[in-house]
Amino acid sequence: MTQTPISGIPPRILPEIDDTARQYWTAGADGQLRIAFCAACARHVHPPRPRCPDCAGILEFRVVSGDATLFTYTVAYQQFNPSVPTPFVIALVELAEQPGLRLVTNIVDCDPEALVCGMALRVRFEEQRRGDTTVFVPVFAPPLT
Ligand SMILES: [Zn+2]
């Protein structure tokens, strides 16, 4: 599906947004990252899924701090999609809330040469249209302060 950029932001290539993941992709409307949480296990679960993988309990989305560290990354220089400018950084970041709670994202507003595994990052959101849905794509950047 074609994505229409808003405010000059290049489109992000997103997975299909189904009912299970919709809250993850739309919750950033108020600037807060929300991650699925199992109350029975008292732990976050990502990527979103219909039930907790450990206890099959119901998951609910909870606000997290948006603080993370860079776990690993790669810099893409090959432009496979003509609408996505290069270079761009594909990263696995670990959220502050829980060891091993990692998500795949892009790093923005940072020279790829300045990236160091373990560095502090903070979430921000890119508003984009996807069909009838407005999504708020979580991306990460070094904290401004
Ligand atoms: Zn559980």
Side-chain angles (χ1 to χ4, degrees):
M1 184 179 295
T2 302
Q3 298 175 56
T4 305
I6 293 176
S7 305
I9 298 170
R12 300 284 174 197
I13 307 301
L14 304 180
E16 198 61 37
I17 298 173
D18 60 13
D19 288 344
T20 300
R22 184 164 289 110
Q23 281 195 69
Y24 173 74
W25 292 109
T26 60
D30 64 358
Q32 301 214 280
L33 182 63
R34 289 173 172 81
I35 299 292
F37 184 84
C38 175
C41 295
R43 72 180 197 98
H44 291 279
V45 173
H46 189 81
R49 58 193 79 194
R51 294 284 187 154
C52 174
D54 289 335
C55 76
I58 293 173
L59 299 174
E60 61 182 30
F61 282 80
R62 288 196 180 177
V63 172
V64 294
S65 65
D67 294 325
T69 52
L70 181 58
F71 183 74
T72 192
Y73 67 98
T74 189
V75 184
Y77 293 97
Q78 177 69 47
Q79 189 170 36
F80 290 106
N81 186 315
S83 66
V84 180
T86 57
F88 62 93
V89 179
I90 303 164
L92 194 58
V93 303
E94 185 161 301
L95 300 181
E97 277 67 22
Q98 179 178 298
L101 181 62
R102 298 175 188 144
L103 58 88
V104 177
T105 186
N106 295 114
I107 307 298
V108 299
D109 284 349
C110 183
D111 181 348
E113 297 293 322
L115 293 169
V116 178
C117 288
M119 70 187 287
L121 298 167
R122 180 148 186 83
V123 74
R124 63 176 68 173
F125 296 93
E126 291 182 355
E127 181 179 345
Q128 306 209 335
R129 291 288 301 171
R130 183 164 176 113
D132 294 333
T133 305
T134 300
V135 299
F136 294 83
V137 182
V139 296
F140 283 77
L144 294 175
T145 52

